[in-house]
Amino acid sequence: MTSTTAVPPAPPVPARTRLRRRGVQRTSASLLKYALLAFFAVLVLMPVYVLVITSVKDVAETDPAHAWSWPTTWTTAAWHQAWDQLSPNLRNSFELVIPATVISTILGSLNGFVLSKWRFPGADVVFTFFLFGMFIPYQAVMIPLTQLFGDINFPEGIPRLIFAHVVYGIPITALIFRGYYASIPEDLMEAARMDRAGMLRTYWSVVLPISAPAFVVCAIWQFTAIWNDFLFAVFIINDPAKWPVTVALNNTTGSFVTPYNLQMSAALLASLPTLVVYIFLGRYFMRGLMAGALKG
Amino acid sequence: MRNVRRWGPGLLLVSPSIVLIAVFVYGLIGWNLKVSLSDWRSAVPTSNWAGLAAYRDLNADLAWSENVHHLLGFTVTFILGALLVGLTLAFLLEKGVRGEGFFRSIYLFPMAVSFIAAGVVWRWLMNPAPGDRSTGLNVVFEKLHAGFLANQWYLGQNWGMSAMAIPAIWALSGYIMALYLAGFRGVPEELREAARMDGASEWRVYRHVVFPHLRPVTLAALIILGHISIKVFDLIVAIGGKQLVTQVPAVYMWILIYDAQDYAKGAAIASLLLLGISVLIIPYLVYTVRSERRAA
């Protein structure tokens, strides 16, 4: 996030003494402000420090006496171990998250377009019915969902998970795109109408070309949500070889015999893809968040 | 209805999604309700009517009442903590500071990390093990000669679930900050200026002009945090596992399905979770859609 906020220039203050006193007050107030901001930043980043330094330590150095100290010897042994254990599951996660994100983003774009620009009678009611699906606890569909997958012989493993994320992603993706498309000027739509362009033409040649930002926001949101999902995966995938990385990570680190350096490197490794996305595309991530809050 | 040629294609394009949501959200919710009213209490699926038997079992179940207490404790700490921290951060940032984007992205980054991965490091930070086996914050307290602060964290008798809420506050304060920041920025500068012209102190400007404008944001934040809290699952699994001391309804449901294979009782919990969330969400959805329509 690189946006900067312009600070308005201070208004002129006539008397010199007043100027000085207010200046001192303002400086100490802003010092306090920065001190607090830095304090909170340290608190938020503290777990990152622990993750990183512990992950490069030797097992012997992970005892309480050295818990917070800088590693004396750096080793990637734990990282290698974490990679050996998690790489098949990382692969599963990618095989899940890429198709699921692509499909649900495209679907979201089409739904969002119709629900904001090519509306039918009752479009708002439909949208509200969609939205409720965003908030439900997925536990409330989990037992029948697994049963249904079995009943209709849906291909086991990752395909089931892709399907579930696409279906339950319909509300949020429609919400993101609907909000974005609402800002397209009516004139533009009117122009397409004048040209007697049909729905798909209008979508393809008027709406889609200016949709890139919404696609990025939506794709990042879905990528993060699906990558980090644990609930669907733990209920739907029974075969450990097909587990996405979150389930495998919980399985690895849930045991108390797993040394801390391995736990931390595994947690970092499993989080790297979403962290990389966040670091490079963070400001789009924020927009997705705001959409998730409805009107906020 | 004359214009069916106009809006027909739109409805057609959205109809697959409508069908999917109708079946996989509303249909499966109904199916789950049916399971909860059945006699399916073992690995072999059965679907005979058993009335409210599963709910009655739950009501008599000591573990369930523990669960509900835990969830209450967690929810109160989590919501108050995240609101307070989020509002504070937004307040510190709202007038524009140097490096605002930098601070914002630090505070928001935990949103990109899964609860499973965050749980690994927070379990280390809040390690309840005594003295020589301890890690994390208790070690820091000892080193700072504040050993009296060292505590049992999430295993504590009275405040265990409040400790459990700390990682959740860490994860979501940035989100709440983003919501409040948008709220602060939505207050027209002229309003503040007018109040200042009337001789109001900066505090009174906040008290009487700015904060009243933030009420809708607080409402949205409450709803968002509340529904996250009712559903809390991954975080508890990652930190507390399946132990009863930290168990909440969503975790109990998982245990009932996977370990006890008591499907009717698991489905009953799922239905109750849905009920809790509906009470919160439905009025909010209606309110949001209505005010959107009014604005249009």
Side-chain angles (χ1 to χ4, degrees):
Chain A
M1 279 174 225
T2 49
S3 77
T4 50
T5 311
V7 183
V13 181
R16 199 183 261 173
T17 47
R18 253 174 87 195
L19 178 74
R20 199 174 295 150
R21 198 185 306 139
R22 284 180 90 180
V24 168
Q25 258 178 15
R26 195 169 297 166
T27 324
S28 55
S30 90
L31 265 181
L32 180 67
K33 200 187 255 187
Y34 281 104
L36 280 171
L37 286 170
F39 170 74
F40 278 111
V42 169
L43 278 190
V44 173
L45 291 177
M46 177 179 65
V48 181
Y49 171 81
V50 170
L51 277 166
V52 174
I53 61 149
T54 314
S55 77
V56 294
K57 277 179 178 176
D58 188 74
V59 188
E61 259 189 274
T62 57
D63 61 312
H66 302 95
W68 289 86
S69 52
W70 200 249
T72 49
T73 48
W74 290 61
T75 162
T76 53
W79 277 88
H80 280 289
Q81 228 180 323
W83 174 256
D84 286 343
Q85 287 195 15
L86 294 184
S87 58
N89 307 101
L90 284 167
R91 201 194 151 85
N92 291 341
S93 279
F94 278 113
E95 283 176 8
L96 156 69
V97 81
I98 293 170
T101 302
V102 171
I103 298 170
S104 70
T105 304
I106 293 172
L107 201 56
S109 169
L110 295 171
N111 287 336
F113 163 67
V114 172
L115 291 174
S116 66
K117 290 291 174 205
W118 211 273
R119 294 156 57 83
F120 49 87
D124 278 340
V125 177
V126 165
F127 182 59
T128 314
F129 270 86
F130 277 16
L131 279 188
F132 182 66
M134 186 168 95
F135 292 102
I136 61 160
Y138 297 123
Q139 281 89 353
V141 295
M142 212 54 92
I143 297 170
L145 183 64
T146 50
Q147 221 187 342
L148 184 65
F149 277 144
D151 288 354
I152 61 173
N153 278 321
F154 200 96
E156 274 182 52
I158 305 290
R160 290 187 179 184
L161 220 41
I162 294 175
F163 180 81
H165 283 297
V166 168
V167 169
Y168 296 104
I170 288 174
I172 180 74
T173 54
L175 177 69
I176 291 173
F177 277 100
R178 182 179 176 266
Y180 179 79
Y181 290 146
S183 65
I184 296 181
E186 272 308 315
D187 303 357
L188 214 57
M189 300 301 298
E190 208 47 55
R193 226 161 270 158
M194 293 299 204
D195 290 346
R196 304 188 136 254
M199 181 183 70
L200 291 177
R201 259 276 318 277
T202 310
Y203 174 75
W204 187 256
S205 52
V206 178
V207 174
L208 195 59
I210 50 171
S211 296
F215 269 89
V216 178
V217 170
C218 186
I220 290 174
W221 181 260
Q222 282 300 83
F223 181 89
T224 310
I226 299 169
W227 185 275
N228 288 341
D229 166 70
F230 177 73
L231 181 64
F232 277 111
V234 87
F235 272 94
I236 291 178
I237 309 278
N238 296 315
D239 177 7
K242 295 289 175 208
W243 277 344
V245 74
T246 41
V247 183
L249 174 68
N250 186 57
N251 204 51
T252 307
T253 56
S255 148
F256 285 98
V257 294
T258 311
Y260 286 125
N261 56 353
L262 176 56
Q263 292 196 21
M264 303 292 175
S265 50
L268 270 177
L269 183 62
S271 312
L272 273 184
T274 50
L275 283 179
V276 167
V277 167
Y278 180 74
I279 289 166
F280 289 103
L281 298 162
R283 66 210 159 90
Y284 292 101
F285 185 80
M286 177 130 162
R287 281 197 228 160
L289 280 181
M290 303 308 282
L294 298 180
K295 305 292 286 177
Chain B
M1 285 300 153
R2 265 242 184 97
N3 292 326
V4 65
R5 294 185 63 170
R6 173 102 205 109
W7 53 258
L11 183 57
L12 203 64
L13 192 61
V14 179
S15 56
S17 298
I18 297 177
V19 171
L20 286 173
I21 293 290
V23 172
F24 286 90
V25 174
Y26 296 94
L28 294 193
I29 284 174
W31 185 343
N32 179 75
L33 197 64
K34 205 176 136 227
V35 172
S36 77
L37 299 170
S38 77
D39 65 346
W40 185 9
R41 312 296 292 256
S42 69
V44 187
T46 52
S47 55
N48 304 309
W49 175 262
L52 292 171
Y55 293 89
R56 250 181 262 122
D57 278 8
L58 213 51
N59 195 34
D61 188 343
L62 286 178
W64 170 253
S65 58
E66 286 272 297
N67 285 193
V68 174
H69 271 117
H70 290 160
L71 187 58
L72 264 166
F74 177 86
T75 303
V76 170
T77 316
F78 168 53
I79 291 184
L80 289 180
L83 278 182
L84 198 70
V85 177
L87 180 59
T88 308
L89 293 176
F91 178 74
L92 290 171
L93 288 174
E94 69 111 0
K95 281 190 177 163
V97 297
R98 238 175 260 263
E100 183 194 314
F102 170 75
F103 284 117
R104 257 192 344 208
S105 22
I106 286 181
Y107 301 146
L108 256 175
F109 109 88
M111 281 291 292
V113 182
S114 69
F115 268 140
I116 298 293
V120 172
V121 64
W122 278 100
R123 200 172 50 205
W124 185 94
L125 285 166
M126 304 196 297
N127 190 339
D132 55 330
R133 285 190 294 122
S134 186
T135 56
L137 295 170
N138 281 356
V139 174
V140 175
F141 293 148
E142 294 293 344
K143 277 197 181 142
L144 293 174
H145 303 286
F148 63 92
L149 282 175
N151 69 86
Q152 285 252 279
W153 298 106
Y154 56 93
L155 295 185
Q157 273 283 317
N158 298 319
W159 300 99
M161 291 314 284
S162 296
M164 191 60 103
I166 296 173
I169 296 171
W170 171 80
L172 282 137
S173 297
Y175 186 15
I176 304 303
M177 169 209 71
L179 293 179
Y180 272 120
L181 203 52
F184 274 120
R185 303 260 154 94
V187 181
E189 188 55 36
E190 303 86 68
L191 278 184
R192 295 193 195 207
E193 213 35 67
R196 280 186 205 120
M197 288 299 201
D198 289 344
S201 66
E202 204 52 30
W203 164 244
R204 286 178 66 89
V205 174
Y206 272 111
R207 173 92 178 62
H208 295 288
V209 178
V210 181
F211 287 149
H213 260 92
L214 296 180
R215 266 180 217 144
V217 181
T218 306
L219 179 67
L222 272 174
I223 304 282
I224 289 163
L225 294 172
H227 99 279
I228 291 174
S229 189
I230 294 175
K231 293 193 272 197
V232 64
F233 176 66
D234 329 19
L235 176 69
I236 311 282
V237 171
I239 293 181
K242 291 178 176 174
Q243 353 177 28
L244 184 59
V245 264
T246 59
Q247 207 178 78
V248 292
V251 176
Y252 191 32
M253 183 242 175
W254 181 48
I255 294 173
L256 281 173
I257 304 299
Y258 270 80
D259 301 344
Q261 296 183 310
D262 190 338
Y263 285 83
K265 205 166 158 187
I269 293 183
S271 297
L272 291 174
L273 285 176
L274 180 70
L275 182 70
I277 283 181
S278 305
V279 168
L280 200 66
I281 291 297
I282 291 176
Y284 179 64
L285 280 184
V286 171
Y287 160 82
T288 310
V289 172
R290 267 206 201 134
S291 53
E292 189 195 71
R293 216 172 279 164
R294 220 175 299 133

